[in-house]
Amino acid sequence: MSPIHLDLSVKDCLDGHPETLPVFQSFGFHDFDSPQVRDKLGPFLKLRTLLKFKRIDSELFLTRCGQAAEADSTGELASSAADIQTAKPTLLALLPCGLKVSLDRALQTFAEQLAASNAPLAYLAEGNVNHELSYYPYVDSVESVDELPDLILSSDLNAFYHRRFLERFVLPGHFVSVNGSMHPRMAEIGYADPRGHFTQFCANALVAVHVKDVRPELAPPVSWADFLQPEYRKSIIMRGQDSFFCSGVLVPFFRLFGLEAIPRLAANVCGGTHPSQMVKMIDSRSEGCPPFFIMPWFFARKIKAAERIEILFPEEGAFVSPVQLLVKKKKRAELAQVVDFLMGKALHQHCSDNFFPTPHPEVADIVPAGKKLFWIGWDFIYENDLEQVKQSVGEAFTTEYERTGGAGCG
């Protein structure tokens, strides 16, 4: 019988010792009742991380698991769990919605090729908004770099930019950039990490969309600053729901115009929704459709009623919401084949074809001539705690948004 220990992944534990599932349930880990969650998220979560996240006594948990394993009468089910995942490199890909389906397909094909050559890869490719399979809640519970996946592809200004993660894992040099030369478009905004830790994979460009036949007397903005003016009151929809709004929009506004700009923006926002719903709202000529949206360029290009809209790159540039890759430095050589695939021209051409600007130097520039991108910059990231920044701007936004009536366009 293979031992149960804290450095075992959740999947290894439950695959090797299925009789421990009731123990997981008794401690409140009901997410793993789902085979999908066990198989997809399980390989990327060590027992150590899971127990710290829930503040559960690890000795007590291991004792209960051991008792369950000993009480199991078959004994045959407890196969060599330690052999299930430990030999496989791990890739966790938390992707923007516009890339999830297609990159998952490409990763699946690549993983099958690796498996056929006896070099298996354990990977999970999920949409960044799939909360059931989200890894982000566990990040602050990770104590050792060995608890982390070998490669992490993620999107937005997420927990991997927060001060705790930077100080514990990034600044000590546990990750290495594999960016080579940058495309001139991305080089001009300083997209490469000058300290050589983060690899910038591509950019989710956030643009403004003007619905021309709604409140036609309201002129489209030239600058992002125009969206702060009182004449735009309750005329904008951006990504969000309930009391959460997209930090990929709020943080750049803060970076450009300061905290005092955030309540002014909130007063002009009349709702938050997923970008796919924005597209439906415009195409269906929905009642209550506002004249302006802030959405990813990928979704803006999905709008079928093209005659109704114009896609705007304000003069500061479309906001860059980053898609980045973390590569464990000590695994760099071992992961060379996977890294070459992820950073190859074919995959980056695919990103570009879907309106995600890429730093790959051999992929043609897709940003229209005379238009720009806006990146918050690495000095800002390394000199500020982005967790605190996001909390401050989120609170300032929500307070004013609710004070001015919340949702309700028109």
Side-chain angles (χ1 to χ4, degrees), residues 210 212-218 231-235 291 410:
H210 176 210
K212 296 180 288 186
D213 56 7
V214 177
R215 295 176 60 183
E217 77 285 355
L218 194 56
E231 58 264 33
Y232 288 88
R233 187 176 180 84
K234 295 301 176 188
S235 67

Side-chain angles (χ1 to χ4, degrees), residues 37 74 76 92 106 217 280 313 347:
V37 177
T74 67
E76 296 177 0
L92 177 64
E217 77 285 355
K280 291 179 182 178
F313 282 66
L347 209 59

Side-chain angles (χ1 to χ4, degrees), residues 309-383:
I309 66 147
E310 56 180 332
I311 298 173
L312 306 174
F313 282 66
E315 62 183 9
E316 300 88 352
F319 290 154
V320 165
S321 182
V323 182
Q324 56 274 315
L325 177 67
L326 288 171
V327 180
K328 281 185 180 177
K329 187 175 183 178
K330 65 182 180 181
K331 294 288 189 77
R332 172 65 181 90
E334 178 185 341
L335 296 168
Q337 191 173 0
V338 183
V339 168
D340 289 347
F341 167 75
L342 291 173
M343 302 306 293
K345 181 180 178 181
L347 209 59
H348 285 258
Q349 185 64 59
H350 174 82
C351 294
S352 181
D353 291 344
N354 284 276
F355 301 96
F356 286 81
T358 169
H360 197 290
E362 298 175 23
V363 175
D365 186 14
I366 56 167
V367 178
K371 305 300 182 183
K372 298 193 297 184
L373 300 173
F374 176 80
W375 168 235
I376 61 172
W378 289 102
D379 287 345
F380 181 80
I381 289 170
Y382 282 117
E383 292 170 7

